[in-house]
Amino acid sequence: MDKYKVLYEKLNILKEETELAILKINNDNMQEYLNIYKKNVLRLMILTNNKTIGDSEGALLGVFRAISEYDDLAAIDSLYNSAYDVENYYSNECKQF
């Protein structure tokens, strides 16, 4: 399967999990943080869809760190796992598209 397509699908799952997390979190500041995070995920989705996202060369996108730094967000397993899945796939499978 096309690496761009796989990455796009993983980013889409992350976007959906972010939307669910926004509904679960009762903290206005954290909801705002997640809205900004979602915009960044959408930006990555556009880059991936346009096939303009760069090769990872083993690097990360930063989507996992943004979740793992906050205990309230890291406690949402589906969000945490989908962010990890994106980072792992991009870093290991997208070294070259």
Side-chain angles (χ1 to χ4, degrees):
M1 185 180 268
D2 180 20
K3 291 179 185 179
Y4 289 108
K5 182 174 176 138
V6 173
L7 181 59
Y8 184 87
E9 290 172 1
K10 291 179 181 297
L11 285 164
N12 191 50
I13 292 168
L14 179 56
K15 178 190 67 85
E16 291 171 354
E17 292 299 334
T18 303
E19 290 169 345
L20 291 172
I22 290 168
L23 298 174
K24 288 180 185 178
I25 297 287
N26 292 326
N27 178 316
D28 290 342
N29 291 331
M30 198 57 62
Q31 286 176 333
E32 180 61 28
Y33 178 83
L34 285 172
N35 279 313
I36 293 167
Y37 179 79
K38 180 181 155 188
K39 288 178 186 176
N40 288 325
V41 172
L42 289 169
R43 181 184 56 81
L44 292 170
M45 289 175 71
I46 291 168
L47 290 172
T48 303
N49 190 53
N50 293 339
K51 298 184 177 185
T52 56
I53 194 166
D55 296 340
S56 76
E57 298 177 3
L60 302 172
L61 295 170
V63 296
F64 181 69
R65 181 176 181 199
I67 298 302
S68 65
E69 286 186 345
Y70 293 95
D71 291 341
D72 290 346
L73 299 180
I76 303 172
D77 289 338
S78 57
L79 179 63
Y80 183 90
N81 292 335
S82 61
Y84 177 82
D85 193 34
V86 167
E87 290 286 36
N88 187 48
Y89 184 79
Y90 179 71
S91 178
N92 293 313
E93 301 299 326
C94 301
K95 291 179 181 177
Q96 287 188 320
F97 280 97

